[in-house]
Amino acid sequence: MDNRCTPTSLALSSEPLTLRDLDQLGLERIKGIGPKTVTALESLEIRSVLDLLETYPRRYIDRTNMATIAELEEGVPSLLVVTVTSSKLIPTRGRGRGMVKVVVSDGRRSLPLTFFNQAWREKQLQPGLEVAVFGKADLYNGTLQMTNPVVDLVGNQTGRILPIYPQSEKSRITTKDLGTWIEDALNKCAPRGFADTVPADLVAKHQFIARGEAMRNIHVPDSAEAHAAARRRLAFDEVLRVQLMLVGRKAQWERDSAGFSHEISGHLIDGFMKALPFPLTGAQKRTIAEIYKDVSSATPMHRLLQGDVGSGKTLVAVATMLAAVQGGHQAAIMAPTEVLADQHAIGIRSLLASLKISDESNLFGDRQLRIELLTNKVTGEQRKSVLAGLADGSVDIAIGTHALIQDSVSFHSLGVVVVDEQHRFGVEQRSRLRDKAQESEAGLMPDVLVMTATPIPRTAAMTVYGDLDVSVLDELPPGRTPISTSWVNTPVDIETMWSNIRERLAAGEQAYVVCPLIEESEKLEVASAQETYDQLMEQDLRGFTVGLLHGRMSSADKESVMASFRSGATQVLVATTVIEVGVDVPNATSMVILDANRFGIAQLHQLRGRVGRGKLASQCYLVTQSGEPSPRIEALVASTDGFVLAEEDLKLRGEGTIMSVNQKGQSDLTLASLQRDLELIQWARDAATEIIAADPTLSSLPLLRDELDLVFSDRDEEFLFKS
Ligand code: ADP
Ligand code: MG
């Protein structure tokens, strides 16, 4: 039976309304919406009754909690629901755009409001209009008044709790308009009701209210409790959709692709483990076991390795790559920058220096591993030789940048891919390397390990990386001395800092100085780094060997600066954020971050992770101009735990930042919050896993499947549930 609505009547069918039905209902069906309003709403991305109903209030006003004008106190933010008694534009001299004086009354007392540069308020705030006013009262000439408060037109809506919708000045659509239209939409939908696409047992298990009830109560709740229950239900629907999409994508990927069954015991891996100069940490053991379980099965691995700076991810990456090499296949690791690729090449070559792989064609029956670097600066004969080796299989391990995914590169048999994303999420690049592997002779999907040094909170990981399995290296190798971090801002403290650093340098240790981040202009950033360098050479660090590293240097120059710092010949490295990731010089024990307020928590944590990598005690100085440390600096001073800091970051910045780094699925959370809805996200994850396992194409849940198609199809071309 076709349960779609025709454009003329909602009543033609008696089936409950699905989201698709609502999506197909035009706005002109709503009382009071004419062609002009349709256009205005379109500019707000509201195109259908569904869009209208999903325009949720941004806050609510509870009339019973309202202050009266008599209760106002100077400086205390208060909310009033009042009636406008008068409004008058007072021209001001000079360039200001006028001042509007408005008087409002709560029936007993009145209160003057003053608006600057908002001349349009005079017309907007007509006498008799009921408005919600939010602001701090201030004293002016001995009487209380408010200046530039937030004003919402609430109109003559009834009910105890008033929804306040996002208002748009430009389209002249007020919260009152939206409220009226939404009520009309809800009333028109009521006879048919809303289809509940979430399996009933799931709804019952978590005691969710029905979707229809939630739709009404999110807009016009009778009580705070009713609103909370509605939000909880609709937020769950959102996260369930996202999780079904992610878990479904993962399942499909695993179903449709044949991978390698790598051999995980053999003399190469055994030899590697035996030759390690230290025992593995518990977390490394656990993680390698998780990875080996994945790579030995024919289902391709797609796993995220999260590990704080210094937690020993490189070793895990190498152990993973050896699984491919041992079986005669190849492995590749892709880093986001050349400096990092160089760093990996050095680290990986030294870890594998003593290893031999059996080779029949060789007189001795074995040979050294062939490990090659491929970046843009590998050119000429060397490049030709590396490319040939990748194509004929004689290169065992390729280390490189995105140069690895250029068209001229082909592999003989690429069995393991490690993507070191650090904090640069490169989903597209990840899949291109995977595609390359599939083009190779074996035609099999490689096992993919994505490494990130930016710990992200668990719920965020479940969403941002929801289509990957996750391993966490949550333990640092033993013998590290914690980094002591201090905030430095007075001239005296700064002088003390340099004198401490000079002592350390004199004792043979090394230091980093990170120059201010200037996001707007690399040129300015380089100039400021140069200036810092010149100044330190002249003054605070005179007599020491100082090197300069920045993004505008040639690769060769960068490399020689780094080599000199690694060898200890350069004592201090003055750098822009190019050193943020991966650089590993255990003898470096001091880190100075200038203008630290310009950096985010994650960046500061990454930078700080460059020290504290050896046995020596390390210190990090966060230098700022201002007299107050920012909450970010306070967080860094208080903790060195990346996961704690990530939670803190999420709290301080909200999820926008995490969500915006990735593409699909994330923008679909309107009501749900990664911060608040940890429990809902976990439930949704569990439910999605269970549902997809039992019914990978959702054939038994056609309405839910159709809903996913509706919500995700325009962005996700290769959507999965098209059975
Ligand atoms: P990450 O890439 O996670 O920041 P690395 O892989 O660069 O960390 O490792 C940091 C340092 O710790 C390196 O010098 C490495 O040799 C050392 N290391 C790794 N694993 C161990 C271990 N189990 N015991 C002692 N040191 C280790
Ligand atoms: Mg590393």
Side-chain angles (χ1 to χ4, degrees):
M1 171 171 181
D2 183 11
N3 63 358
R4 303 270 147 85
C5 282
T6 71
T8 49
S9 172
L10 271 174
L12 263 189
S13 157
S14 58
E15 294 285 315
L17 293 153
T18 63
L19 297 191
R20 178 151 333 253
D21 295 332
L22 296 169
D23 183 58
Q24 288 173 346
L25 278 176
L27 289 166
E28 67 286 346
R29 308 284 309 276
I30 303 300
K31 198 165 81 196
I33 298 189
K36 248 179 146 170
T37 311
V38 167
T39 315
L41 285 169
E42 258 171 20
S43 72
L44 301 177
E45 312 261 307
I46 301 175
R47 297 196 171 80
S48 66
V49 170
L50 178 63
D51 294 339
L52 187 63
L53 289 175
E54 287 185 345
T55 304
Y56 300 119
R58 61 183 160 79
R59 57 197 175 83
Y60 301 82
I61 294 176
D62 185 342
R63 286 183 198 267
T64 56
N65 282 347
M66 215 61 52
T68 62
I69 293 174
E71 289 165 347
L72 287 184
E73 281 178 56
E74 192 190 351
V76 180
S78 319
L79 179 64
L80 306 163
V81 172
V82 284
T83 310
V84 177
T85 19
S86 71
S87 110
K88 198 162 106 197
L89 177 67
I90 298 169
T92 45
R93 264 180 292 148
R95 303 222 273 131
R97 284 197 277 128
M99 176 172 86
V100 176
K101 285 265 180 203
V102 174
V103 179
V104 294
S105 156
D106 64 2
R108 293 205 203 142
R109 286 222 198 178
S110 51
L111 177 78
L113 311 178
T114 308
F115 297 92
F116 291 104
N117 294 327
Q118 300 177 27
W120 50 272
R121 291 284 191 195
E122 185 216 7
K123 294 242 153 51
Q124 183 202 30
L125 300 177
Q126 294 288 325
L129 213 58
E130 203 180 349
V131 292
V133 174
F134 180 77
K136 276 186 206 168
D138 50 64
L139 268 181
Y140 182 74
N141 286 344
T143 33
L144 282 176
Q145 62 134 37
M146 280 189 190
T147 307
N148 290 347
V150 176
V151 177
D152 292 300
L153 307 191
V154 294
N156 43 9
Q157 281 163 283
T158 49
R160 184 160 85 81
I161 297 178
L162 296 179
I164 302 296
Y165 292 95
Q167 307 196 84
S168 160
E169 238 38 270
K170 218 173 74 210
S171 61
R172 305 198 169 273
I173 289 172
T174 66
T175 177
K176 179 181 145 200
D177 297 332
L178 282 164
T180 314
W181 299 329
I182 288 169
E183 271 216 67
D184 186 53
L186 287 168
N187 291 339
K188 287 199 162 114
C189 291
R192 279 178 59 180
F194 294 97
D196 209 331
T197 56
V198 174
D201 55 339
L202 201 54
V203 173
K205 178 173 167 194
H206 298 301
Q207 299 175 333
F208 291 127
I209 60 172
R211 184 182 274 179
E213 191 185 346
M215 281 280 210
R216 173 162 283 277
N217 286 348
I218 195 77
H219 291 290
V220 280
D222 291 332
S223 64
E225 296 71 40
H227 166 257
R231 197 202 77 88
R232 183 168 168 273
R233 170 61 212 264
L234 296 176
F236 180 77
D237 287 9
E238 286 179 0
V239 293
L240 180 66
R241 284 194 288 264
V242 169
Q243 290 303 330
L244 279 169
M245 190 265 289
L246 292 166
V247 174
R249 176 154 73 200
K250 180 164 178 289
Q252 187 212 32
W253 193 69
E254 287 169 357
R255 202 164 59 233
D256 292 357
S257 42
F260 294 82
S261 304
H262 291 299
E263 198 52 58
I264 50 161
S265 53
H267 88 270
L268 189 65
I269 288 176
D270 297 346
F272 170 69
M273 295 296 178
K274 276 200 203 98
L276 284 177
F278 39 67
L280 297 177
T281 64
Q284 284 171 325
K285 271 189 210 152
R286 190 188 64 231
T287 301
I288 292 175
E290 285 163 356
I291 291 170
Y292 278 2
K293 186 158 176 270
D294 287 355
V295 299
S296 57
S297 100
T299 303
M301 172 171 80
H302 204 191
R303 184 173 283 276
L304 174 72
L305 175 60
Q306 274 202 66
D308 212 342
V309 279
S311 58
K313 290 186 292 298
T314 313
L315 198 155
V316 176
V318 169
T320 309
M321 294 196 286
L322 287 182
V325 176
Q326 181 161 265
H329 305 288
Q330 297 164 293
I333 177 165
M334 185 163 73
T337 65
E338 291 192 352
V339 170
L340 245 190
D342 288 346
Q343 183 80 41
H344 275 314
I346 293 166
I348 292 171
R349 283 195 169 114
S350 85
L351 272 172
L352 297 177
S354 64
L355 280 193
K356 296 249 160 66
I357 182 165
S358 50
D359 182 357
E360 274 15 350
S361 68
N362 184 304
L363 194 57
F364 306 99
D366 59 15
R367 61 168 177 86
Q368 288 241 291
L369 294 186
R370 184 169 172 204
I371 302 168
E372 295 288 3
L373 184 66
L374 186 67
T375 61
N376 282 338
K377 66 176 197 256
V378 177
T379 53
E381 283 308 307
Q382 173 64 10
R383 189 178 192 85
K384 263 193 204 150
S385 148
V386 173
L387 291 179
L390 293 175
D392 69 17
S394 62
V395 171
D396 300 295
I397 293 179
I399 300 165
T401 52
H402 53 271
L404 284 172
I405 52 175
Q406 283 161 2
D407 286 341
S408 54
V409 180
S410 67
F411 290 88
H412 177 67
S413 175
L414 184 57
V416 163
V417 168
V418 179
V419 183
D420 188 358
E421 288 188 344
Q422 303 290 348
H423 63 290
R424 289 153 230 249
F425 307 94
V427 180
E428 207 168 291
Q429 297 187 336
R430 204 193 297 161
S431 58
R432 282 197 38 205
L433 192 51
R434 209 165 62 202
D435 293 346
K436 262 209 180 305
Q438 261 202 316
E439 294 159 9
S440 72
E441 261 174 44
L444 297 175
M445 196 63 97
D447 290 299
V448 177
L449 182 69
V450 179
M451 306 200 292
T452 167
T454 308
I456 51 179
R458 209 167 49 88
T459 49
M462 239 179 249
T463 308
V464 177
Y465 284 117
D467 52 352
L468 277 70
D469 293 306
V470 179
S471 292
V472 182
L473 280 181
D474 50 6
E475 183 186 346
L476 292 182
R480 302 271 169 86
T481 29
I483 304 165
S484 75
T485 302
S486 40
W487 169 57
V488 179
N489 82 317
T490 65
V492 177
D493 287 348
I494 291 176
E495 188 37 56
T496 312
M497 169 184 85
W498 290 121
S499 115
N500 287 344
I501 289 174
R502 286 190 295 266
E503 269 173 40
R504 295 305 200 105
L505 297 175
E509 297 168 29
Q510 290 166 280
Y512 295 101
V513 178
V514 178
C515 299
L517 172 75
I518 305 176
E519 249 163 22
E520 309 81 54
S521 156
E522 195 188 24
K523 204 164 144 194
L524 282 181
E525 185 169 275
V526 169
S528 119
Q530 183 70 49
E531 200 179 306
T532 305
Y533 171 81
D534 293 341
Q535 216 176 343
L536 289 174
M537 295 270 279
E538 297 255 309
Q539 300 168 18
D540 299 296
L541 299 177
R542 195 164 51 200
F544 295 96
T545 340
V546 184
L548 175 64
L549 186 73
H550 62 68
R552 290 219 160 171
M553 289 164 57
S554 73
S555 303
D557 288 349
K558 271 191 227 165
E559 196 186 17
S560 82
V561 170
M562 276 313 299
S564 168
F565 187 66
R566 260 186 222 115
S567 75
T570 295
Q571 294 170 283
V572 182
L573 187 64
V574 175
T576 55
T577 47
V578 284
I579 63 149
E580 189 178 331
V581 286
V583 172
D584 186 12
V585 180
N587 191 46
T589 55
S590 298
M591 165 69 61
V592 176
I593 303 176
L594 299 172
D595 229 346
N597 272 330
R598 285 182 171 263
F599 297 93
I601 285 190
Q603 258 179 323
L604 290 171
H605 180 61
Q606 286 295 320
L607 287 166
R608 179 171 61 181
R610 299 307 111 214
V611 296
R613 303 178 78 85
K615 289 200 178 54
L616 300 163
S618 292
Q619 43 282 313
C620 174
Y621 302 96
L622 304 174
V623 182
T624 68
Q625 317 271 349
S626 70
E628 288 286 314
S630 64
R632 283 173 289 172
I633 298 218
E634 285 178 333
L636 265 288
V637 170
S639 174
T640 52
D641 183 327
F643 284 92
V644 171
L645 290 170
E647 298 278 359
E648 195 62 33
D649 205 16
L650 186 58
K651 249 187 257 159
L652 287 174
R653 298 195 301 171
E655 52 246 46
T657 44
I658 291 185
M659 304 298 262
S660 66
V661 300
N662 209 296
Q663 13 69 334
K664 293 147 192 166
Q666 286 73 31
S667 52
D668 301 293
L669 303 185
T670 314
L671 284 173
S673 141
L674 295 179
Q675 228 169 307
R676 268 168 85 169
D677 296 319
L678 198 120
E679 191 179 52
L680 291 183
I681 294 173
Q682 184 66 60
W683 289 349
R685 180 77 177 180
D686 294 345
T689 309
E690 208 170 294
I691 292 171
I692 296 288
D695 182 5
T697 58
L698 300 183
S699 56
S700 62
L701 296 165
L703 289 182
L704 184 53
R705 183 169 76 182
D706 186 56
E707 198 169 299
L708 292 171
D709 267 336
L710 174 74
V711 174
F712 298 113
S713 60
D714 45 339
R715 271 152 297 158
D716 211 350
E717 318 92 67
E718 25 149 33
F719 193 64
L720 320 146
F721 297 105
K722 302 222 158 75
S723 44

